[in-house]
Amino acid sequence: MLDLSELGVKSLRGGITQRPLGLDVTDIRQPWLRDILVTFIAEMKPNTTEARRGLRVCKAVSRALDTRIGGGMDPAKLMFADMNAVVDTFRVLPKLDGGPLSSKQRGALLSFFFKILDYNRAAGHLDGMSASFARHSSHVIKTEEVDEDEAGKALPESLIAQLDDYVDLLGQGMTHGKMTPEQVQAMARAVYELLRETGRRPYEIAELRTNCLKHADREWLLIWDNRKGRRLNRRLELEHGTVETIRTWRAVRDTLDLPTGSEGFLFPPSG
């Protein structure tokens, strides 16, 4: 069990998490795979959502390698076919409750595994790993053609990774009404994470109401307005991390001295 506070993992608000519970890595059977996850968390200091995402993707990789000859136990013996098996697992990866994941979400999870793997390689923690076990141009998850209500235009994963590396700089030097610099940064981070995870247009995020979260049929939904298509009260399924982003910002918002007329908006205007 990984103690997130001892590893310096940050909460969604940016401080070191004080949660006593950690991450259970016992389902990751390959020792080297457990090691690169622990190393990534300990050295990169991700937030709690990213740490849980790392656990999820490494569990999926472990299951894929379990089906291969040798079970993926020896990193020096891993082959290109083993990486193909890993990618194939992500191509059909379901939600935690067994429901279907969008191609965008599956692609983001696969990219997160490559982020963990590439970091450990670059840091010299995988010198004994076979060079064949690496990402190839064929290792992509094609975006499905879906209705506009299901997904927006996604940024390239490489660009998202760069933005994620500088997320702590969002909102610095900006003003917004009577909000403190810390509150402005918290709002900017929440807006970015919602744009990244939902694919909505900027004005659609800006128009979200405080009651935009709804729980139905064991799923969290985002209630939003598609004004371009003149369809109001649309519903978009949310991942747990996105729900936490909204809840965390809403707790900050509730402490603000809001201008008249902005009470119902999740992100209040500056006037």
Side-chain angles (χ1 to χ4, degrees), residues 59-81:
K59 282 183 176 180
V61 173
S62 181
R63 291 193 300 270
L65 293 177
D66 269 344
T67 65
R68 305 292 299 165
I69 296 175
M73 292 295 179
D74 186 351
K77 296 182 179 180
L78 292 171
M79 300 182 294
F80 185 70

Side-chain angles (χ1 to χ4, degrees), residues 35-214:
D35 289 344
I36 66 170
L37 173 62
V38 174
T39 300
F40 178 82
I41 293 174
E43 296 184 3
M44 293 298 289
K45 302 287 189 288
N47 61 40
T48 51
T49 296
E50 292 167 334
R52 287 193 296 267
R53 184 178 297 177
L55 176 66
R56 180 181 182 184
V57 301
C58 286
K59 282 183 176 180
V61 173
S62 181
R63 291 193 300 270
L65 293 177
D66 269 344
T67 65
R68 305 292 299 165
I69 296 175
M73 292 295 179
D74 186 351
K77 296 182 179 180
L78 292 171
M79 300 182 294
F80 185 70
D82 296 314
M83 183 60 82
N84 286 340
V86 168
V87 175
D88 286 343
T89 292
F90 280 90
R91 287 190 173 118
V92 295
L93 194 69
K95 289 184 178 181
L96 295 176
D97 64 3
L101 270 177
S102 70
S103 57
K104 177 185 175 182
Q105 291 169 323
R106 285 181 272 118
L109 290 172
L110 176 61
S111 292
F112 199 80
F113 168 65
F114 285 128
K115 182 177 182 179
I116 295 172
L117 187 67
D118 291 345
Y119 171 79
N120 278 271
R121 268 204 168 102
H125 302 310
L126 287 173
D127 289 342
M129 173 170 279
S130 166
S132 298
F133 191 71
R135 187 171 198 171
H136 183 263
S137 58
S138 63
H139 293 152
V140 295
I141 296 177
K142 294 182 179 179
T143 303
E144 302 161 350
E145 292 187 8
V146 293
D147 185 270
E148 187 182 50
D149 287 348
E150 295 299 324
K153 291 184 179 179
L155 291 173
E157 290 297 333
S158 58
L159 180 56
I160 289 176
Q162 292 179 50
L163 291 171
D164 285 347
D165 287 339
Y166 294 96
V167 70
D168 291 336
L169 300 180
L170 292 175
Q172 285 192 9
M174 296 175 58
T175 59
H176 195 83
K178 298 180 180 180
M179 291 168 60
T180 66
E182 292 77 17
Q183 291 167 341
V184 173
Q185 284 190 267
M187 183 178 71
R189 183 177 187 129
V191 169
Y192 166 67
E193 291 185 4
L194 284 170
L195 287 168
R196 180 189 66 193
E197 300 300 327
T198 68
R200 301 305 93 194
R201 300 179 180 89
Y203 75 81
E204 291 166 348
I205 296 299
E207 293 178 350
L208 289 176
R209 313 294 291 190
T210 54
N211 60 350
C212 62
L213 276 182
K214 182 174 182 178

